[in-house]
Amino acid sequence: MDQLSAEFAKQRTSLKEDVSALIRDAIRPIQDSLDLLQTTVSSFQKRLTSVESIAGDDFERLTVAEASIKMLQTQNQSLADRCDDLENRSRRANRRILNIPEGSEDGKDPIKFISDVLMEMMGSEVFPAPPERERAHRTPTSRTSRRSSPRAVLVCFSRFQQKEAALRWARNHQLQYQGATIRIYQDVSVLLAKKRAAFNSVKQALYQKNVRFHLLYPARLQVMHGDDRLTFDSPDEAQQFIDRTFGKD
């Protein structure tokens, strides 16, 4: 019996070793795969950490760049506004005269021609003596067959009082020259002209409702409503006033 028990113990030990060997052989590929997976995950974690670091640096740079762009945009707009203001200040002595028949000044001195035209339209009531001008010319300076209306005449006055007198008279009187209705406006930059033109529809609505108004320099609309003088900086504000006061059409 002792010998049989010893033999069974020996067989059991051998069987256990065989089973253990089989298990180790079976799980070795799985363990290798797990080790490879762990290595891959570790590599991805390192790369992700690196990408997060780079992204964080890029975000900081982007934030700084956006702040710089906003500052430059503000500075650029400020410089553009100042340049436009300087341009309009340089034009303050000018008046733009529209609808003088094309070619009526041919062969004549432009300055003397405009002086004679102003005297003919306004007379001594505005100009006791011919107004003093520095220069006068058509704009654009060359004719084109594609243009149907006469080119504007740009006049630079030497005296502020004469320049203002011509504009005030033109606002309150109908000017005629060789059968054409003449209009006189202040000379302004292209940018300011667009800002002032934005009020055209509002001005037309006020005119139809017999409401007095003035377009103030540089681009503000003053409306006389009862005893009040209301000033609007944008066409939208003026339109809202019209809608509130007179109702929407």
Side-chain angles (χ1 to χ4, degrees), residues 194-216:
K194 290 181 179 180
K195 291 180 179 179
R196 294 168 73 89
F199 285 94
N200 286 347
S201 60
V202 176
K203 290 161 57 179
Q204 181 65 25
L206 292 171
Y207 178 79
Q208 292 175 351
K209 298 180 185 304
N210 296 319
V211 178
R212 294 175 57 211
F213 61 87
H214 294 296
L215 189 60
L216 305 178

Side-chain angles (χ1 to χ4, degrees), residues 97 100 104-105 107-124 127 129-133 136 153 155 157 175-178 182:
I97 305 177
I100 292 181
S104 57
E105 75 280 17
K108 304 175 184 176
D109 175 56
I111 295 179
K112 184 177 186 307
F113 168 74
I114 289 300
S115 178
D116 294 341
V117 170
L118 292 174
M119 290 295 294
E120 179 180 335
M121 292 190 301
M122 300 180 182
S124 59
F127 300 116
E132 299 179 26
R133 290 97 40 238
V153 176
V155 183
F157 285 80
L175 305 180
Q176 296 286 328
Y177 181 73
Q178 294 186 0
I182 307 302

Side-chain angles (χ1 to χ4, degrees), residues 78-96 135 139 154 156 163 186-196 217-218:
S78 175
L79 290 173
D81 292 341
R82 292 174 65 181
C83 287
D84 189 62
D85 180 65
L86 289 173
E87 180 181 352
N88 284 294
R89 289 179 183 275
S90 70
R91 295 170 178 253
R92 293 182 67 179
N94 298 345
R95 287 293 178 261
R96 188 175 291 268
R135 59 186 180 276
T139 179
L154 193 64
C156 179
K163 174 199 70 172
Q186 183 174 351
D187 185 39
V188 296
S189 68
V190 174
L191 180 60
L192 183 55
K194 290 181 179 180
K195 291 180 179 179
R196 294 168 73 89
Y217 183 85

